[in-house]
Amino acid sequence: KAGVTQTPRYLIKTRGQQVTLSCSPISGHRSVSWYQQTPGQGLQFLFEYFSETQRNKGNFPGRFSGRQFSNSRSEMNVSTLELGDSALYLCATRQGNEQYFGPGTRLTVT
Amino acid sequence: KNQVEQSPQSLIILEGKNCTLQCNYTVSPFSNLRWYKQDTGRGPVSLTIMTFSENTKSNGRYTATLDADTKQSSLHITASQLSDSASYICVVSAVYSGGGADGLTFGKGTHLIIQP
């Protein structure tokens, strides 16, 4: 069974631009969560989707948004990028008590 | 406020030695506690998951303990190898209705370096 995949793996953007990240969950998993990871803050919860509906949302500004498609694939969008948005963005799928993380997308904002 | 504190922040040990990482939490009501290993630039990988009734759980050279009374957990690594160099993250889940991801509280991790 293939694991969680994320694309792209690396991305460099300029302040003010927008970016879209993609996450494909493990086959059969319908829950997708997104996290931002920075050295100082650790992993912070962005939002969670289940069956195309946003179930939960963390404490991030409205510039961060997401959606989930009928095949459970999910995208995350960040508009008007700021230098502080530079981070590793991880998505995870969940089944029961277990969470499975993707390899992440390393976003650098210059 | 739910919190997870990990110590030490970083640790350097020689290959072949043992080490113990600590996790203290204030998450309530408690559901389960997980330890993850994260290699540099990769996503976290689950090592163990422990519920309220479990005191000890092993995964190869990794042994996790849980004391639900004192709200402490430890991860013991035996006979360390160079491949153990990574960040180790403690994650505690609260019992929220629906069991959503917002019920998870993450520690900031312990950065472990194994030197030859």
Side-chain angles (χ1 to χ4, degrees), chain A residues 9-10 33 35 37 40-43 45 48 55-57 88 90 94 97-104 106, chain B residues 31-32 34 36 38 41-46 48-49 51 89 91 97-102 104 106-108:
Chain A
R9 292 294 313 278
Y10 303 92
S33 308
Y35 299 88
Q37 187 178 34
Q41 295 297 320
L43 273 149
F45 171 69
E48 180 183 26
R55 265 175 47 153
N56 301 294
K57 192 175 189 304
L88 181 68
L90 294 160
R94 186 164 57 87
N97 278 335
E98 278 292 357
Q99 222 179 8
Y100 303 88
F101 285 87
R106 170 72 63 185
Chain B
S31 175
N32 59 70
R34 314 154 195 210
Y36 286 89
Q38 184 176 21
R42 308 300 299 270
V45 174
S46 179
T48 65
I49 178 169
T51 58
I89 302 171
V91 184
S97 61
D102 62 333
L104 301 178
F106 291 81
K108 293 185 179 180

Side-chain angles (χ1 to χ4, degrees), chain A residues 6 8-11 21 33-46 60 64 76 78 83-91 101-109, chain B residues 38-44 87 89:
Chain A
Q6 291 187 246
R9 292 294 313 278
Y10 303 92
L11 205 49
L21 313 181
S33 308
W34 287 91
Y35 299 88
Q36 181 193 67
Q37 187 178 34
T38 57
Q41 295 297 320
L43 273 149
Q44 293 187 286
F45 171 69
L46 280 156
F60 278 81
F64 292 81
M76 188 194 113
V78 188
L83 294 178
D85 297 333
S86 294
L88 181 68
Y89 289 88
L90 294 160
C91 81
F101 285 87
T105 293
R106 170 72 63 185
L107 172 65
T108 302
V109 182
Chain B
Q38 184 176 21
D39 293 317
T40 302
R42 308 300 299 270
S87 286
I89 302 171

Side-chain angles (χ1 to χ4, degrees), chain B residues 4-93:
Chain B
V4 173
E5 299 287 340
Q6 290 189 244
S7 61
Q9 270 191 320
S10 59
L11 182 62
I12 301 173
I13 65 172
L14 292 176
E15 186 179 10
K17 298 296 186 183
N18 303 334
C19 66
T20 300
L21 314 180
Q22 299 289 345
C23 172
N24 296 340
Y25 63 91
T26 58
V27 176
S28 181
F30 175 84
S31 175
N32 59 70
L33 182 146
R34 314 154 195 210
W35 283 95
Y36 286 89
K37 178 187 178 190
Q38 184 176 21
D39 293 317
T40 302
R42 308 300 299 270
V45 174
S46 179
L47 292 174
T48 65
I49 178 169
M50 302 177 73
T51 58
F52 185 88
S53 58
E54 295 174 298
N55 299 119
T56 304
K57 187 171 268 190
S58 291
N59 178 358
R61 295 179 296 102
Y62 301 100
T63 299
T65 64
L66 174 65
D67 186 333
D69 291 331
T70 61
K71 298 187 177 181
Q72 295 180 326
S73 176
S74 65
L75 181 69
H76 186 74
I77 304 175
T78 305
S80 61
Q81 300 176 357
L82 296 178
S83 59
D84 293 331
S85 293
S87 286
Y88 292 83
I89 302 171
C90 175
V91 184
V92 183
S93 177

